[in-house]
Amino acid sequence: MAGNHVVVRPDDADYAVPAELDGHSAGFRRWDAIDEHGPSVHMGFGVCALEPGGRVAWHVRAFEESFYVVDGEVVCETDEGAFLLGPGDYGVVGVGAPHAWRNVGTQQARWAQMAAPQPRSTARHTFVVADRTPGAPVRVDVRDPRTRSFGHVSPENMEVDQQTQDRLAVSASMRTALLVYSGITVKMMVDSDLGADLSTMFMVQYVPGGFAGAHDHPLEEAYMIVEGQVDAVFDGHEYRMAVGDIALAGVGCVHEFANAGDGPVRWLETQAPQPPSRHSYRFARDWTYLADALPAHDQDQE
């Protein structure tokens, strides 16, 4: 850790049974990659692992929880039903919403987990509740309007030429929209439209040559690389980030990214709090431009 950021590698991973779920889970461990012990004050971000036959008891939490399945399959049970999730599936569980997890497959399941506001060791945030029986698990159907809290993103969803109506897995709407600029595509996943109030989660892709110049935000961002490599700069420190690496840029941390390879680089990104309606980005080059554009006598009056 240096300055207002942190970069951690898969070799740094320390999976352990969370204290709040000790005795209320089986085969479950979590790596708290970003928590109260680092520069973050708004979020917790980590990776959960659940072994075959494992479970996490029904519980509610005093924070909003977003997740993205990295590998394996896991059942997430909520009051909406039981959903069998696989790689690329994601969702959000609201503050105080009962939910549980179980692995009915034959291999370990892992999912990225983001919590906002940040859980604290000095307070109790998880409360085990009575079991429910939501029924047999079903796959997430993103075209079903009754699916309110889950979604799916695939690599092809990040490609501009794959966004025609006949190729989309969902009907045409803002849920399928891509933000495209300077070799960068952004696909929103978890936001207020999906039911989140305190955070966002989305997928970012840079094509070869893709670049975002130095900027900062009035919020925290976390990043988990899922494909390729990226050259990242945080607080003036340079890093080569690859698959499985996780980073945090705190409020006011100036950061930039450039694709470091010949293929695309993709990462999962989260933000907390949710971005304001204006001025969520502050690019250094815009203010440098202003300084150069101002007449000399205006600058002399500063």
Side-chain angles (χ1 to χ4, degrees):
M1 182 176 67
N4 194 17
H5 74 281
V6 64
V7 176
V8 293
R9 314 290 188 178
D11 289 345
D12 302 323
D14 182 16
Y15 286 89
V17 178
E20 72 273 15
L21 290 172
D22 189 15
H24 301 288
S25 63
F28 178 71
R29 296 174 299 144
R30 186 179 66 219
W31 170 31
D32 293 322
I34 295 171
D35 58 19
E36 63 183 319
H37 302 297
S40 173
V41 298
H42 290 293
M43 72 168 75
F45 186 94
V47 182
C48 299
L50 187 61
E51 300 300 325
R55 64 171 183 83
V56 177
W58 281 88
H59 59 285
V60 300
R61 285 179 155 159
F63 52 78
E64 186 173 270
E65 179 180 346
S66 301
F67 53 86
Y68 167 81
V69 179
V70 178
D71 47 46
E73 292 187 335
V74 64
V75 176
C76 180
E77 299 175 320
T78 73
D79 281 346
E80 292 183 43
F83 298 90
L84 179 59
L85 308 176
D89 287 336
Y90 60 84
V92 59
V93 177
V95 176
H99 62 292
W101 300 88
R102 54 192 172 98
N103 186 339
V104 297
T106 59
Q107 62 177 314
Q108 182 192 73
R110 292 192 310 133
W111 63 95
Q113 179 197 59
M114 191 271 197
Q118 185 180 82
R120 305 285 186 180
S121 60
T122 55
R124 184 181 177 188
H125 298 295
T126 301
F127 303 82
V128 175
V129 297
D131 287 347
R132 287 155 167 75
T133 54
V138 297
R139 295 281 183 181
V140 170
D141 183 355
V142 293
R143 295 199 66 176
D144 188 335
R146 296 172 298 176
T147 304
R148 298 187 298 272
S149 304
F150 300 89
H152 179 82
V153 61
S154 298
E156 57 266 26
N157 298 142
M158 307 301 296
E159 303 296 337
V160 176
D161 61 358
Q162 299 292 314
Q163 303 308 302
T164 57
Q165 180 64 62
D166 60 315
R167 293 174 176 172
L168 292 175
V170 295
S171 57
S173 71
M174 288 306 294
R175 297 303 311 167
T176 68
L178 282 181
L179 174 63
V180 182
Y181 63 102
S182 65
I184 304 168
T185 55
V186 178
K187 172 75 166 63
M188 185 55 64
M189 295 160 56
V190 175
D191 59 5
S192 57
D193 187 49
L194 204 68
D197 297 305
L198 305 171
S199 61
T200 62
M201 176 180 284
F202 48 96
M203 192 67 69
V204 177
Q205 176 174 288
Y206 283 35
V207 299
F211 172 75
H215 62 283
D216 68 342
H217 308 281
L219 46 85
E220 291 180 350
E221 289 187 331
Y223 322 86
M224 180 179 179
I225 310 301
V226 297
E227 179 184 357
Q229 298 184 67
V230 65
D231 286 328
V233 181
F234 299 103
D235 293 321
H237 298 265
E238 299 179 0
Y239 302 89
R240 171 67 59 87
M241 295 181 63
V243 174
D245 290 345
I246 296 172
L248 171 91
V251 175
C253 170
V254 177
H255 53 285
E256 59 185 272
F257 301 102
N259 188 332
D262 298 328
V265 57
R266 289 188 302 122
W267 65 79
L268 182 72
E269 185 165 335
T270 66
Q271 297 174 325
Q274 285 189 353
S277 59
R278 299 181 63 196
H279 306 303
S280 61
Y281 284 75
R282 179 169 57 183
F283 280 92
R285 66 181 183 181
D286 295 336
W287 296 95
T288 300
Y289 172 84
L290 177 61
D292 294 339
L294 284 174
H297 65 80
D298 287 347
Q299 299 191 48
D300 291 340
Q301 295 176 6
E302 295 180 359

